[in-house]
Amino acid sequence: MARKDDPKKMERMHAWVAAVESELSIEPEVMEQVKGPMLALIGKVAHGPSRPGAPLTAFLIGLAAGRGKGEPLDLITQVKDLVARYEEDNPSED
């Protein structure tokens, strides 16, 4: 069963992201196209390879996109594939 995010937390997250977009002069459309895939990826990283590595993973994807290493959605897919390979090579000890 899929987990439902707390609506109040999601509202605060959207307000925060809008404030950061404004502060950094980023068009909202840029974030809108990657928000869902990025949140899904960060959830996979946080519940898989490394919880503290999740925000750093997001930063690295943004850094790579900013340096012209690829389109954000393509970079998210690339790292999603890396998570799958990592989990195959490093099975959970649950």
Side-chain angles (χ1 to χ4, degrees), residues 4-61:
K4 270 275 204 206
D5 289 313
D6 179 331
K8 288 185 181 187
K9 285 184 180 181
M10 294 306 290
E11 186 177 320
R12 283 193 307 271
M13 185 269 303
H14 290 295
W16 170 250
V17 168
V20 174
E21 289 168 344
S22 177
E23 182 70 22
L24 299 178
S25 300
I26 304 290
E27 299 82 11
E29 300 81 30
V30 172
M31 189 61 172
E32 197 57 41
Q33 66 178 308
V34 299
K35 189 180 335 179
M38 180 65 82
L39 287 172
L41 172 64
I42 296 312
K44 283 187 152 303
V45 173
H47 296 289
S50 172
R51 181 172 299 278
L56 295 173
T57 299
F59 171 78
L60 290 171
I61 290 170

Side-chain angles (χ1 to χ4, degrees), residues 31-94:
M31 189 61 172
E32 197 57 41
Q33 66 178 308
V34 299
K35 189 180 335 179
M38 180 65 82
L39 287 172
L41 172 64
I42 296 312
K44 283 187 152 303
V45 173
H47 296 289
S50 172
R51 181 172 299 278
L56 295 173
T57 299
F59 171 78
L60 290 171
I61 290 170
L63 185 63
R67 290 185 172 176
K69 302 294 184 182
E71 292 297 317
L73 290 174
D74 294 336
L75 295 167
I76 291 168
T77 298
Q78 184 178 349
V79 175
K80 182 179 167 191
D81 294 344
L82 175 62
V83 170
R85 291 192 315 269
Y86 182 91
E87 288 178 337
E88 285 176 8
D89 294 341
N90 301 281
S92 173
E93 294 181 14
D94 293 342

